[in-house]
Amino acid sequence: AMPGGDDSLVVPAEFAETGRGYACVRDVSTGEELLSVPLDECWHAALARSALAHALPFASQLRDHDAVCLHLLHERAKGEASSRRAHIATLPSEYDVPVFWSAAEREVLAGSGWLELVGRYEAEMCDDWRALGELASSAANAWEAFAAGAAITLDAYKWAYATVKSR
């Protein structure tokens, strides 16, 4: 059952101490199923590779994270034609986290371990982008067509990367 349906045992809720989540609508028994989500409704690497295979000859070689990021960007570019448009509409259009801040904005983190952590995270994103580019070079024409159609740039990849990592 999907959350919020007539037979659902959970409903979306906002909790003062922990934020968004789901709350049970009644007492439940040990082992009682609270919620189920069909795997095909989830973002996962196997589904992403399958969805991308028609456009990217190297889809089967994508790392899990890259497969999901590219699938997310591909579906986002479809707009209203995407079967995942409702979920995509709930995602932030941008992130206000240090990895997206300018060098001047990051100065407030100087002297803390957070600045180093942000640098490592940004380096990881950029390294993964470079590795994706190397893989894509094996089918440059297909990649260029796919990237143009899905508006895939480094900034878009960083958005998808942050989206996947934060979920």
Side-chain angles (χ1 to χ4, degrees):
M2 292 302 291
D6 291 342
D7 62 343
S8 183
L9 294 178
V10 295
V11 294
E14 186 75 31
F15 299 96
E17 296 202 13
T18 57
R20 294 181 307 182
Y22 286 96
C24 289
V25 297
R26 63 168 173 76
D27 289 344
V28 294
S29 302
T30 299
E32 188 173 3
E33 183 177 281
L34 302 179
L35 164 72
S36 67
V37 178
L39 187 58
D40 284 349
E41 297 294 322
C42 300
W43 298 92
H44 61 90
L47 181 67
R49 285 186 190 97
S50 175
L52 299 171
H54 73 283
L56 294 175
F58 54 87
S60 65
Q61 298 170 342
L62 289 167
R63 292 173 299 171
D64 290 354
H65 188 81
D66 284 335
V68 176
C69 285
L70 294 179
H71 186 209
L72 175 59
L73 291 170
H74 179 65
E75 290 298 321
R76 184 177 76 162
K78 289 181 183 178
E80 289 299 312
S82 173
S83 62
R84 296 176 175 257
R85 68 188 169 282
H87 182 220
I88 292 169
T90 68
L91 298 173
S93 59
E94 59 185 31
Y95 292 96
D96 184 19
V97 293
V99 75
F100 293 101
W101 294 355
S102 69
E105 290 171 314
R106 289 183 193 180
E107 283 299 314
V108 298
L109 301 175
S112 75
W114 291 108
L115 187 58
E116 181 186 335
L117 181 64
V118 170
R120 284 197 323 258
Y121 184 71
E122 183 173 45
E124 176 185 302
M125 277 196 297
C126 291
D127 288 347
D128 285 354
W129 174 253
R130 275 190 294 279
L132 177 59
E134 290 171 14
L135 180 60
S137 69
S138 68
N141 290 341
W143 169 251
E144 288 172 15
F146 178 80
I152 297 174
T153 62
L154 175 58
D155 286 341
Y157 178 80
K158 284 181 175 181
W159 173 84
Y161 199 95
T163 299
V164 172
K165 283 281 193 178
S166 65
R167 282 151 181 79

